Amino acid sequence: ATRPSSDPTAILYYPSTVSMTPLRFASSIASAPAARRCVGLGLGGAAIAWHASHRTPACEEAAPGRREAKLLVASPAEATPSLAARCIAEALGTGIIVAGGCGAVCTSKYAGGNSTLFGVAAAWGMSVALAVYVTRAVSGAHLNPAVTCALVAIGKAPAEEAPLYIGAQCAGAFVAAGVNYAIFSAAIVAHEAAAGIVRGSAASAASYAGAFGMLPN
C-alpha cells in the first residue's frame, strides 16, 4: 500500500477477516501509544492487529505519547476481486433472491402456506437484504440485469463486463428456480389437479405467475 513513510501515526486500512468490536478497537488505540498498529476491516466490523516488538512492512510505528491516528486507505487495485469471483458472487446473490422470494410465493400458492401479502413481501425483502450483504463487497451487488445495464449507462460499471454479470445473474436465478420447482413439484401438480388446470394452457401459465415468472395483471 502507498503511505507516507514520514508519518509516524499512520494506521493502514486493509481488508481482513479479523474482527474486533469498535469498543475494543478504541481501547487498543488508547492503551498502546507506542505500539505499531496495522488495521484491517472485515465483515464482522472494525478490527485491529498490533505488534509491539516486531516490525512489519505494513505497519508504521507510532511516536511515544501520541494518541492521534490517521487512516490511510490501501490501493483499490490490491483489494479488487477477480472478475470470476465477482460473477460467482452475482450468481449466488441472484440465486438467494429467487430461492427466498419466489420460494415464499411458491409456499403461498402451492403448499397452502396461507401467507399474507406482508409475509411474502417480508420474505422478499429479507432475501434481497441477505443477497446484498453477501455480495456487496465482492461484486457491488447488482443482482439484476436491469441494475447492471443502468450502471453501465451512467458510466458506473464497465460495458465489457456487463454480459458476464448478466449471464451470471441469469444462471444463478435459473438454478434457484430449478431448486424451487424440485421442492414444490408435487404441490404444483396437486394445485393443477384441484383447479382443473391443463399443463401448458393459458391458465397454467397464469398459475406460475409470481412463483416462476411475472405476467401482466
Side-chain angles (χ1 to χ4, degrees), residues 96-97 100-101 118-133:
I96 290 173
I97 293 175
F118 175 80
V120 173
W124 272 102
M126 287 186 288
S127 299
V128 172
L130 177 60
V132 170
Y133 183 80

Side-chain angles (χ1 to χ4, degrees), residues 82-92 94 139 142-145 148-149 152 157-172:
S82 66
L83 179 58
R86 283 179 277 147
C87 288
I88 291 172
E90 285 294 304
L92 176 62
T94 309
S139 66
H142 297 194
L143 308 178
N144 190 314
T148 298
C149 291
V152 170
E160 61 272 15
E161 294 181 358
L164 296 176
Y165 264 59
I166 293 171
Q169 293 157 1
C170 292

